[in-house]
Amino acid sequence: MSDLTKKPAPDSEKAEPVGKGAPAAEASAAPVPAVDPRLLVREQGLKGYWTEFSRKIRGGELGSLPVVIGLIVIAIVFQAQNDRFLSASSLTNIAVFTSGLGIMAVGIVFVLLLGEIDLSVGSVAGMGAAVWAVLNVSNGWGDWASVLVAVLCGLLIGALHGFFFAKIGVPAFVVTLAGFLGWSGLQIWLMGKEGSINTPTGGIVESLTGYFFEDKAAAYGLALIAIVGYAASLLLDTKRRKSAGLPARPVSEIVLRTGVVAVMVLAAAYVLNELPGSRGLPLALVLFLAVLVIADFVARRTTFGRQVFAVGGSSEAARRAGINVDRIRITVFAISGMLAAFGGLFIASLSGGATKNLGAGNTLMLVIAAAVIGGTSLFGGRGKVWSALLGMLVLQAIQQGLNLLGMASEIQFMITGAVLLAAVVIDSVSRRTQKTAGRA
């Protein structure tokens, strides 16, 4: 029978490799391993980074860029209007006034990461100051004991808010609004008929905003610690990623990033130490930076921090993944309350004592605005702890500049409101752009 009349072999027989052709067939059928796009970016050098940066901007991933640009514009505008804006005394005032409200804004960042809101931070700050003043001044408690009890009161108040929200199901907006009213009333009751208690001279609370490290080694030493710590974190992250087989930053990028940070922190140390009118490194700034570093570590490097982001992204998905959503919510509100009470002590230090209306007025507005302006999303699941620093710097820089120009308080409110609205608009447009680009 001729070959033309033979039946074709079955597919199973055709697929069976024979002899020397087997390895080639297997190799051609093997899948091509995927390449991480971040690795390609880093291999292309500056061109790759610029391409990635352009892609992120088009995709709505703006990060802290609008805030940084805003700070530069603010500095240029106010310095052109008044040459004292960038003086040592002016920048020191910005640093000190930023600290207390900035610490409170760190707690709000955690709450916003859940996609919730805490309207009670102002009254909790007032409660913390009132508890400290009554214990320390009126009842003779020691400095450390009264400060510790005041901060613990804030933590318990926040945990109580979180309990009603997580366990009872009351919306966070309602719970914290009730707290805003209730704790304000308790604050007034604690302060008694006089309505104000002055800060004792030489005490801890007075030192929070009144103490400066006059030795130049303090500012330069802190700058050096920041540089070394930042470089070490990058190197450790690179080592960890390489050991896991993931793309890591090249040494050139680590050197560049560390160099930029070094220029910034050394410039700040120079301003605090060397310019005419400088007073040295403020203790308030040191404490604020310490809170930021600890909170950033918790948010980015711990299981708890990752769970906060997961709950903020989708609470139901987080629950199905085995995360105790109620525990996360209660803990976050407890953190917010604790930092609010701690920040209230800074406000008492600046104002010279605890009063019935401490924490009222625009305190709540400034704290929430700082977190949002700094880049934390109101919709949950996206933001950084350092947003509190950036946002508060914007607000205090605007306030300092307007004060130097002699602007009325109502003008400051209108400008601050406009900046807050702009930040929310940018966040909303960014989210919409990311959805369009398929990166939400």
Side-chain angles (χ1 to χ4, degrees):
M1 186 181 293
S2 66
D3 294 337
L4 295 175
T5 59
K6 290 181 180 179
K7 295 182 179 180
D11 291 342
S12 58
E13 293 180 10
K14 287 183 177 181
E16 203 173 314
V18 180
K20 296 182 180 179
E26 291 178 357
S28 61
V32 178
V35 179
D36 194 312
R38 292 171 296 182
L39 184 59
L40 295 177
V41 167
R42 287 163 181 163
E43 286 180 349
Q44 294 171 3
L46 292 177
K47 180 182 178 182
Y49 282 105
W50 176 255
T51 302
E52 178 69 4
F53 174 77
S54 302
R55 183 196 62 77
K56 286 184 176 181
I57 296 298
R58 291 193 301 270
E61 299 177 59
L62 302 178
S64 302
L65 181 62
V67 190
V68 174
I69 294 176
L71 279 172
I72 294 173
V73 171
I74 290 170
I76 293 174
V77 170
F78 283 122
Q79 181 66 15
Q81 298 294 320
N82 191 316
D83 58 4
R84 290 182 298 163
F85 179 76
L86 294 179
S87 65
S89 59
S90 175
L91 295 178
T92 299
N93 286 338
I94 292 174
V96 172
F97 280 87
T98 292
S99 301
L101 295 176
I103 289 173
M104 297 170 65
V106 172
I108 288 295
V109 167
F110 277 95
V111 175
L112 291 179
L113 289 176
L114 289 181
E116 303 298 338
I117 194 67
D118 187 352
L119 301 179
S120 68
V121 288
S123 58
V124 174
M127 264 292 296
V131 169
W132 158 79
V134 170
L135 293 178
N136 181 242
V137 181
S138 302
N139 292 283
W141 282 41
D143 275 356
W144 287 106
S146 55
V147 167
L148 180 61
V149 170
V151 174
L152 287 177
C153 282
L155 185 145
L156 292 175
I157 289 172
L160 182 63
H161 293 162
F163 172 81
F164 278 102
F165 167 52
K167 294 294 187 179
I168 308 300
V170 183
F173 179 90
V174 176
V175 171
T176 56
L177 179 59
F180 168 78
L181 298 172
W183 304 122
S184 295
L186 184 56
Q187 173 190 354
I188 295 172
W189 180 79
L190 284 175
M191 295 303 299
K193 294 181 180 180
E194 295 183 1
S196 64
I197 300 176
N198 294 332
T199 304
T201 303
I204 292 177
V205 172
E206 184 192 46
S207 300
L208 288 177
T209 59
Y211 184 81
F212 290 78
F213 297 94
E214 297 180 357
D215 190 346
K216 295 181 180 180
Y220 288 121
L222 182 62
L224 182 61
I225 291 173
I227 296 168
V228 173
Y230 182 73
S233 67
L234 292 181
L235 290 173
L236 288 174
D237 182 67
T238 298
K239 180 180 179 181
R240 184 166 52 248
R241 295 184 69 84
K242 285 183 177 179
S243 63
L246 299 173
R249 291 187 177 93
V251 176
S252 58
E253 181 184 346
I254 295 175
V255 171
L256 178 61
R257 287 174 174 264
T258 304
V260 172
V261 171
V263 170
M264 294 171 59
V265 297
L266 289 175
Y270 177 83
V271 169
L272 295 173
N273 279 337
E274 309 294 347
L275 292 185
S278 59
R279 302 172 59 187
L281 177 65
L283 174 62
L285 180 61
V286 176
L287 294 175
F288 182 26
L289 292 176
V291 170
L292 282 169
V293 171
I294 295 172
D296 180 67
F297 176 82
V298 170
R300 295 194 304 115
R301 300 296 184 185
T302 66
T303 301
F304 169 77
R306 289 188 287 270
Q307 290 176 345
V308 170
F309 280 95
V311 173
S314 173
S315 59
E316 184 58 32
R319 183 178 286 107
R320 293 184 179 183
I323 296 175
N324 189 332
V325 175
D326 291 346
R327 179 180 64 85
I328 295 298
R329 287 172 168 170
I330 294 174
T331 305
V332 165
F333 276 91
I335 291 173
S336 178
M338 178 183 67
L339 294 179
F342 189 35
L345 299 180
F346 282 77
I347 299 176
S349 178
L350 283 171
S351 59
T355 61
K356 288 184 176 181
N357 60 353
L358 189 149
N362 63 346
T363 300
L364 173 63
M365 178 196 71
L366 290 175
V367 171
I368 296 178
V372 176
I373 291 171
T376 302
S377 176
L378 283 169
F379 304 99
R382 189 179 63 178
K384 295 180 179 179
V385 170
W386 292 93
S387 301
L389 172 62
L390 293 174
M392 194 54 67
L393 282 176
V394 170
L395 294 176
Q396 290 298 330
I398 292 174
Q399 185 170 347
Q400 178 71 10
L402 293 176
N403 287 337
L404 290 175
L405 296 179
M407 293 289 184
S409 59
E410 55 267 25
I411 302 298
Q412 298 182 21
F413 287 155
M414 287 188 286
I415 293 178
T416 303
V419 173
L420 175 59
L421 178 61
V424 177
V425 169
I426 291 174
D427 181 38
S428 300
V429 172
S430 174
R431 288 175 60 87
R432 186 178 302 173
T433 305
Q434 289 186 43
K435 287 182 179 179
T436 304
R439 300 182 63 82

